Amino acid sequence: MIPKYLKRSFWFVCIFALVACGSNNQADEGVDADGELLSLDVEFELPEQEEVGETVELKATVTYGGEMVTDADEVVFEHWLAGNEDDSTMVESTNHEDGTYTAKVTFEEDGVYEIYAHTTARDLHTMPKKSITIGDGHAESNDASNHDHGHHDTEGFVIHLMDINEVKVAEEADFVVHLQLDEEPFENANVRYEIWNTENENEREWIDATESKAGEYLGTHTFDEAGTYTINVHVEDDEDLHEHSDYNFEVVE
């Protein structure tokens, strides 16, 4: 016969295990104990102003549901001179394995620089943006080469097309767009890519993008000929939102 105190201990262990399993399942499903959705949050730190030629530290502190994320899939800083987003630079971060990710950059000319902290973790993506003034903040920007010729009526809405790698004729190309509203992933949108060769603007192709992660939309296309192309990203929702941005890229043999 099993003593009563051992039976009590056995049932206590079972109940504890069930509670723990339930908590783990909730975490796997992206909700907390109260059923609230867990969020991926990034505290992006950098100075407001710095001198030309000085080293600037970019720092992102990443949390998920209030817990430090020590194993983010990616934290990459993207910076560009305001008005010249087409000429941006991507900088990989160093993971300090305590929830913080840093990189060091040096700006060689006066101006205001915009910086994204692209962060991917727990199947989510967020990209808080900040700016820094270098020197006296005055610099000529090339508006003609602006990366984003967008129509943005919704305040706080961001369309960001990830860097387009070398696109070749007859090879499938991936186009990935991240959408945010007030720095939160914009989900369940209707996203379509309109693509055309700039030498023949009357012939346009439409591609439906699918949401691969929260706020991330993927579309693919294969090109028949080389040239300079434009992709216009159209975003709509079930209400009255309609935003679009266009980008240029090259297709090579």
Side-chain angles (χ1 to χ4, degrees), residues 43-84:
E43 182 182 352
F44 183 16
E45 302 174 48
L46 78 162
E48 294 183 359
Q49 187 166 7
E50 192 54 85
E51 296 300 320
V52 172
E54 293 293 328
T55 299
V56 178
E57 182 181 71
L58 313 178
K59 180 180 180 181
T61 302
V62 184
T63 58
Y64 178 69
E67 299 292 332
M68 291 292 187
V69 175
T70 62
D71 57 351
D73 298 318
E74 179 184 65
V75 178
V76 178
F77 298 99
E78 179 184 10
H79 65 80
W80 66 93
L81 183 64
N84 291 276

Side-chain angles (χ1 to χ4, degrees), residues 5 11 29 36 86 106 130 154 156 176 214 231:
Y5 76 91
W11 285 113
E29 294 171 359
E36 298 292 330
D86 197 38
T106 302
K130 286 194 172 183
T154 306
V176 178
I231 178 171

Side-chain angles (χ1 to χ4, degrees), residues 24-189:
N24 288 336
N25 288 337
Q26 287 178 321
D28 291 341
E29 294 171 359
V31 297
D32 62 17
D34 297 323
E36 298 292 330
L37 288 175
L38 299 176
S39 63
L40 178 66
D41 298 306
V42 178
E43 182 182 352
F44 183 16
E45 302 174 48
L46 78 162
E48 294 183 359
Q49 187 166 7
E50 192 54 85
E51 296 300 320
V52 172
E54 293 293 328
T55 299
V56 178
E57 182 181 71
L58 313 178
K59 180 180 180 181
T61 302
V62 184
T63 58
Y64 178 69
E67 299 292 332
M68 291 292 187
V69 175
T70 62
D71 57 351
D73 298 318
E74 179 184 65
V75 178
V76 178
F77 298 99
E78 179 184 10
H79 65 80
W80 66 93
L81 183 64
N84 291 276
E85 192 172 353
D86 197 38
D87 190 23
S88 67
T89 299
M90 307 292 284
V91 182
E92 296 282 347
S93 69
T94 298
N95 181 358
H96 299 281
E97 300 184 353
D98 60 357
T100 64
Y101 302 77
T102 63
K104 293 182 179 180
V105 297
T106 302
F107 300 99
E108 300 296 347
E109 61 176 303
D110 293 326
V112 176
Y113 290 81
E114 305 286 347
I115 308 175
Y116 276 124
H118 292 282
T119 305
T120 303
R122 306 298 187 265
D123 289 328
L124 297 171
H125 180 88
T126 187
M127 48 185 192
K129 184 172 77 169
K130 286 194 172 183
S131 62
I132 183 173
T133 300
I134 299 299
D136 59 18
H138 297 294
E140 293 184 2
S141 63
N142 184 4
D143 292 333
S145 65
N146 196 328
H147 185 62
D148 182 356
H149 305 286
H151 175 76
H152 291 175
D153 288 333
T154 306
E155 184 177 356
F157 189 79
V158 175
I159 299 175
H160 186 270
L161 179 68
M162 296 298 289
D163 278 353
I164 301 174
N165 296 323
E166 185 177 76
V167 180
K168 293 185 177 181
V169 171
E171 293 185 6
E172 189 175 79
D174 292 335
F175 299 95
V176 178
V177 161
H178 290 117
L179 304 180
Q180 284 192 172
L181 179 61
D182 296 331
E183 297 193 358
E184 294 292 333
F186 190 76
E187 302 181 65
N188 303 316

Side-chain angles (χ1 to χ4, degrees), residues 13-29:
V13 171
C14 289
I15 293 170
F16 178 81
L18 288 173
V19 172
C21 288
S23 299
N24 288 336
N25 288 337
Q26 287 178 321
D28 291 341
E29 294 171 359

